[in-house]
Amino acid sequence: MKKLTAFVLSAMMVLSLAACGAKTETPADTSTPAADATKPAEVAKLTYAVEAGSAGEEVALANGYNVVSVDSQAKALMEVQAGTADAAIIDSLMAGAMVGEGTSYPNLTITDQKLTEELYGVGCRKGSDLASFINSVMADAYADGVLEATAETYGVQAALVEQPASEFTASESDSDVQYIKDKGTLVIGITEFEPMDYQDADGNWIGFDADMAKLVAEKLGVEPVFTVISWDNKVFELNGKGIDVVWNGMTITTAAQEAMECTNAYCNNAQVVVTK
C-alpha cells in the first residue's frame, strides 16, 4: 500500500506539473500553480495534511486536493506518520531537516516533485520601518559572512539569496523601530519549524531564522521574545501588536505583500510532498 500510494502521488505530480505549463517568473507570487483538472480518480481520494494559512495549503487547495489543515507543518508530518493522512505538503527546507534517515521521521519519504518555487521573507506591520531596518542588518550580515556562517550551522546555505546593500530609512512619524526600542523587546511570531525556528534540549529557540532575529534584536538594543502563533492569524497578530514581526520561513506572495511590509527575500524554498 505504501508503494502504491507513493506511485500514485508521483504519477499525479507529473500530470500536475505538465498541466501547469510555464511558470511566471515573478518572485513575489511563485507559490500558487494553476489548479490541476487532470488528477486520476485514485489521487482525488488521497488526503493531504497541510499547515493552515501556509503555502502548502494554498497549493493543495488550488489543485483541488482533499486536505486536513493542522496548526503546524510538524503536525502535518505527524498526520502522515500516524496514517491519518496519505501525504503532507510542507516546505522543502523543513522536509530536508526532519524527513529521512537520521531525522525525526526516518520512515517517511520526500517525493521528487516540487509543487512550487518560492522565496522566504520577513513580515512586518504594513508601512513599518522595521522592514527597512531588517534589510540593512541582513545586508551587513551577508557582506561580512555572518549570514552564510549561520546558514551553514543549520544546513540551509544552498538556499541563501544574495542580499543587496541596504541602508535603514526611519519613518518620520509613527516609527515601528522607535516603538520597539522604547518597549525594550522585539516580539517574534513563529511556529515550530526546524531548521528555521525550533527549541533545543533546554527549551531555547534556535534555528536560522531565530538566530537572525536575535541579531536584529541585538542591533536594536532590545531583548528577543519568541511567541508561538497560529500561522493563519499572523496578520491579525501583527496588526494587534501581539507580535512585532513574522519570522518563520514566510513565503513572499502577493497576498503577503498586500497585508504586510515584507523584507527582501533571503532564502529559496519549495513545497514538496512527503509520504510513508
Side-chain angles (χ1 to χ4, degrees):
M1 179 61 186
K2 295 178 183 177
K3 293 183 178 179
L4 175 59
T5 299
F7 174 78
V8 172
L9 280 167
S10 297
M12 177 278 296
M13 295 308 163
V14 171
L15 289 170
S16 174
L17 291 175
C20 289
K23 290 186 177 180
T24 301
E25 296 299 326
T26 305
D29 194 15
T30 57
S31 62
T32 307
D36 179 7
T38 64
K39 299 188 307 300
E42 296 87 348
V43 170
K45 297 177 182 178
L46 299 176
T47 299
Y48 296 80
V50 296
E51 180 184 33
S54 70
E57 182 184 60
E58 189 174 356
V59 71
L61 293 176
N63 280 299
Y65 300 164
N66 295 321
V67 304
V68 53
S69 296
V70 293
D71 60 14
S72 71
Q73 295 190 60
K75 287 189 178 179
L77 291 176
M78 291 172 63
E79 293 282 339
V80 180
Q81 181 72 26
T84 51
D86 300 296
I89 299 176
I90 65 170
D91 291 42
S92 62
L93 291 180
M94 184 181 198
M98 296 192 70
V99 175
E101 186 177 354
T103 70
S104 301
Y105 295 93
N107 298 323
L108 300 187
T109 301
I110 306 169
T111 64
D112 294 335
Q113 294 78 19
K114 290 183 178 181
L115 301 183
T116 63
E117 293 181 0
E118 307 166 359
L119 292 171
Y120 280 165
V122 182
C124 307
R125 283 180 277 276
K126 193 66 176 176
S128 172
D129 58 357
L130 180 59
S132 174
F133 188 89
I134 293 172
N135 283 339
S136 68
V137 173
M138 296 289 277
D140 290 345
Y142 184 84
D144 63 20
V146 169
L147 197 68
E148 184 172 5
T150 305
E152 287 176 351
T153 298
Y154 298 103
V156 299
Q157 63 271 24
L160 276 185
V161 173
E162 181 178 357
Q163 297 299 291
S166 180
E167 293 186 7
F168 169 52
T169 302
S171 296
E172 294 181 2
S173 62
D174 196 25
S175 169
D176 225 13
V177 167
Q178 191 59 51
Y179 160 73
I180 291 164
K181 288 181 175 181
D182 289 344
K183 68 187 177 76
T185 58
L186 175 68
V187 184
I188 305 136
I190 59 170
T191 64
E192 183 85 23
F193 181 11
E194 188 178 351
M196 310 312 274
D197 291 296
Y198 62 104
Q199 291 178 293
D200 64 14
D202 297 320
N204 301 308
W205 288 100
I206 60 172
F208 178 72
D209 282 354
D211 284 7
M212 296 314 299
K214 291 173 188 175
L215 178 61
V216 168
E218 178 185 328
K219 298 296 184 182
L220 285 167
V222 301
E223 290 297 317
V225 176
F226 293 91
T227 299
V228 176
I229 61 172
S230 168
W231 197 245
D232 213 17
N233 294 331
K234 55 187 176 291
V235 176
F236 174 81
E237 294 280 1
L238 274 176
N239 291 340
K241 293 193 172 180
I243 60 175
D244 298 312
V245 64
V246 177
W247 204 329
N248 190 231
M250 186 190 78
T251 300
I252 302 175
T253 63
T254 298
Q257 290 178 318
E258 289 174 350
M260 294 177 278
E261 201 69 32
C262 296
T263 66
N264 295 330
Y266 62 88
C267 266
N268 290 297
N269 184 52
Q271 293 301 309
V272 296
V273 176
V274 175
T275 65
K276 270 193 175 182

